[in-house]
Amino acid sequence: MSTVDPIAERLIERLGGERPGDSVDWIAALRSRAAERLAALGLPHTKIEDWKYTSLKPITKRDFARPDAASATADAGAVEALRIPGLETHRLVFVNGHFAAALSDRDLGAQGLTVKSLAAAFAEDPEALRDRFAALAPIDFSGFTALNTAYADDGAVIRVAPKTQVERPIELVFLSTPQGQPVMAQPRVILDAGHHSEVTLIEHFVGLDDAANLTNAVTELKIDVGAQVTHYRLQRESRKGFHIASIHAEQAENSRYASHNVQIGGQLSRTDINTALNAEGADTLFNGIYLLNGRQHSDTHTRINHLAPHTYSEESYRGILNDHARGVFNGRVYVAQNAQQIQAYQQNDNLLLSGRAEIDTKPELEIYADDVVCSHGATIGRLDDNMLFYLRSRGVDEEAARGLLLYAFAEGTVEKMGLEALRTWLEGFVIDELPQAERVREFV
Amino acid sequence: MSEPMLKIENLHASVEESEILRGVDLAVNAGEIHAIMGPNGSGKSTLASILAGRDDYEVTEGRVTYKGQDLLALEPEERAHEGVFLAFQYPVEIPGVNNIYLLKAALNAKRAHQGLDEVDTVDFLTSVKEKMKLMGMDESFLNRAVNEGFSGGEKKRNEIFQMMVLEPELALLDETDSGLDIDALKLVAQGVNQMRSPDRAIVIVTHYQRLLDYIEPDRVHVLAQGRVVKSGDKMLAHELEDKGYDWLRQEEATEA
């Protein structure tokens, strides 16, 4: 007899109930398998090596309820204000994990593109998802993946036909709003990029009105031969909110996956980004930044699996940590024995602005091939005194000079983003997080 | 005669208990160009850094008066607002901050201090472009990050260009000639000569005499072991070039 983890048991009790797709056998079976895994696994804890620096006590001591579909509404004006200036998108809005059709664009598809809510996809053509749902994100990647697989209320299913260049990015806005008691929003996103297609996906998580909810998101990206997926993520949960997410990408021959990840919000967040370079010529860029203040805790774990020869990866993460903030970065690069002549570069740079801020950073290279080019580096530092003096000697006051140097540091991440409208938009949120935001705006 | 613009009296300074300056005396009048020469380790660059406000050094004795006020009491940015400019020996790269933004911010900070309105953008660009041309710099430079990816020579030219835009009253050039080829050296000299004005003092810190072939100093001072050991006119620089710094040490030894 297997034991049931007490935390998992409570979650199963609270989150259970009917869901779209339950009448389809394979979906019901998958969900019950996921629930069983959750019961056995429980949620991660600090005795698991991958979770050593991130205690989930603030999450496990709270009882999050299942969000209510009927109250999945938000002020239309507030939602409109979240639009990205100068960028037309196909936009879907979710409120606490439920698709809000009234707040979303009416016309979601385009030539060679279909975009549906997960509930609609289950209702209209469940068979099409049989080999895709939970195919890339293993049920037991962590207790949270099991949880999402068992209890995701909704999400998005995006299919890009072969050779299609999707002109407008697909924008998913995940609103977290207060709803009586804290709730657990569990969106599931599934994207299929057909061979030689191109698509940009934006995931924007935003907490409104100090929402103290938990978002537990899972995203699965299947990138076929020669396809290019550019994935922007902006995490702006409220400072009282919690954010757990895992992204799982599978890349075919000559495909490219670029992940740009900006993490600003949440009192506690954990993001796992994984990609598998399954065939020759596959190429990955992981580019991200975390900006942490107060007592925020943010943990980023990335895994790049080089499983074929001639595959390429470049990873650069930067962090600015102030006050009592704590950051964790773990970058794992795995190179299989047959994956000869691959290139993998990784860099993690951190600025600590306070003596009480903390960063735990760890590159983790596991290489079984013998003809590879791999590099990694991690830095932890303060602002450079020579740079500060240079700016001050030109008449820039100390406050503004500090702000400018922080901006310059963050710019190293932002400048790698291709779409100008998005870059400008994201840069605005980055500047807002700097202690000297107003002064910086005088210069840029 | 009126007070000198810059007056250094018995200046002593240390870094980590080790005394670098041991009683420097120097007076520079508006309208003059002074050269401070000396062997490596004599304290030349330390002196320039202290005047600009770098806080790596502790001033243990003496004082510095600039335009009648206590210079050492001012923050680096306040010195800049008051018209002090240091051309760095090793200019710093600042990714993400464009040259044009830095220049405009620097100029406006100074103007605000003087109670003037912000500079007109069109006039500013016109005058900036003129000065760039003079320094042989391409216009694309304005939208590049400060010193990022510049060669050594480009960085030095950029320092002189910044000086021309900010129009300081007291310009300190810290080994601006080091690492320059002859063409860049001529451009730098041309920039400095153009800045010569009755209202401005320029102090050139250098190890070698060669920059002084193109910029004629009014006074030359030799700094050795933290003190000014000899002052003279431009002939002193030539004498040093011919005889080397050892000549001074021998002379000092004879006098003692």
Side-chain angles (χ1 to χ4, degrees), chain B:
Chain B
M1 194 185 157
S2 66
E3 274 288 297
M5 177 186 275
L6 176 71
K7 195 169 169 196
I8 303 173
E9 296 166 279
N10 189 33
L11 188 66
H12 290 251
S14 310
V15 57
E16 288 168 3
E17 309 285 300
S18 141
E19 193 168 44
I20 311 271
L21 299 184
R22 300 184 166 112
V24 174
D25 291 290
L26 192 70
V28 182
N29 295 312
E32 293 179 349
I33 295 185
H34 286 223
I36 297 179
M37 303 184 68
N40 288 329
S42 58
K44 311 184 294 285
S45 285
T46 300
L47 180 62
S49 294
I50 287 175
L51 294 177
R54 193 190 281 271
D55 62 5
D56 300 351
Y57 308 94
E58 192 191 349
V59 173
T60 51
E61 210 182 324
R63 61 179 179 171
V64 179
T65 314
Y66 168 68
K67 294 198 298 186
Q69 51 185 327
D70 177 6
L71 183 69
L72 301 180
L74 302 178
E75 295 293 334
E77 54 268 37
E78 293 172 324
R79 297 182 199 197
H81 301 159
E82 286 290 339
V84 177
F85 178 91
L86 171 67
F88 280 57
Q89 185 180 1
Y90 303 109
V92 174
E93 298 189 10
I94 307 177
V97 177
N98 286 351
N99 285 295
I100 188 75
Y101 289 118
L102 175 62
L103 280 173
K104 207 172 158 197
L107 192 61
N108 281 333
K110 190 171 168 184
R111 289 176 67 91
H113 178 77
Q114 294 166 336
L116 298 171
D117 285 341
E118 290 202 348
V119 65
D120 176 87
T121 305
V122 178
D123 294 350
F124 174 67
L125 268 178
T126 311
S127 110
V128 157
K129 284 178 181 169
E130 257 170 44
K131 287 163 180 163
M132 285 176 69
K133 216 175 197 172
L134 206 71
M135 290 309 292
M137 296 161 84
D138 191 84
E139 278 187 21
S140 67
F141 153 89
L142 286 177
N143 294 314
R144 286 171 63 189
V146 178
N147 291 320
E148 196 181 33
F150 287 22
S151 70
E154 283 177 319
K155 285 180 183 171
K156 295 297 180 76
R157 269 192 285 165
N158 185 27
E159 294 294 288
I160 299 304
F161 164 65
Q162 287 185 17
M163 174 180 80
M164 293 168 82
V165 173
L166 297 176
E167 301 182 323
E169 287 165 79
L170 173 62
L172 310 162
L173 278 53
D174 187 6
E175 308 223 7
T176 302
D177 52 337
S178 66
L180 290 186
D181 63 26
I182 189 69
D183 294 333
L185 190 75
K186 282 181 181 168
L187 277 172
V188 162
Q190 186 186 323
V192 174
N193 285 328
Q194 186 172 322
M195 292 294 286
R196 192 169 223 165
S197 136
D199 307 319
R200 180 172 294 126
I202 300 174
V203 176
I204 298 170
V205 170
T206 180
H207 185 86
Y208 302 104
Q209 179 267 340
R210 64 175 194 152
L211 181 61
L212 305 180
D213 286 341
Y214 304 97
I215 304 170
E216 192 173 302
D218 297 290
R219 298 286 293 164
V220 175
H221 311 276
V222 181
L223 201 66
Q225 293 172 350
R227 286 186 307 120
V228 175
V229 293
K230 201 171 181 70
S231 295
D233 61 14
K234 61 180 177 180
M235 294 314 294
L236 179 56
H238 291 291
E239 216 168 336
L240 274 172
E241 185 78 357
D242 292 343
K243 300 180 180 172
Y245 288 111
D246 281 344
W247 158 63
L248 279 169
R249 279 181 210 133
Q250 284 155 12
E251 203 170 67
E252 249 195 345
T254 322
E255 278 169 21

Side-chain angles (χ1 to χ4, degrees), chain A residues 28-59:
Chain A
L30 175 65
R31 282 177 175 156
S32 83
R33 263 205 323 279
E36 277 166 31
R37 287 305 294 151
L38 172 65
L41 280 172
L43 293 184
H45 47 77
T46 52
K47 290 197 184 96
I48 298 174
E49 180 63 24
D50 263 354
W51 291 80
K52 190 173 165 186
Y53 298 107
T54 297
S55 164
L56 291 172
K57 282 207 180 103
I59 288 175

Side-chain angles (χ1 to χ4, degrees), chain A residues 384-387 389-399 404-405 407-409 411 415 442-444, chain B residues 52-54 75-77 80-81 85-86 88 92-97 101-102 105-106 109 147 159 162:
Chain A
D384 183 302
D385 283 337
N386 287 323
M387 290 191 187
F389 177 61
Y390 188 80
L391 287 172
R392 293 179 73 192
S393 79
R394 296 298 179 256
V396 179
D397 64 87
E398 188 174 0
E399 185 77 357
L404 272 183
L405 293 179
Y407 165 77
F409 179 78
E411 192 60 19
E415 71 186 9
E442 295 168 23
F443 289 82
V444 299
Chain B
R54 193 190 281 271
E75 295 293 334
E77 54 268 37
H81 301 159
F85 178 91
L86 171 67
F88 280 57
V92 174
E93 298 189 10
I94 307 177
V97 177
Y101 289 118
L102 175 62
N147 291 320
E159 294 294 288
Q162 287 185 17

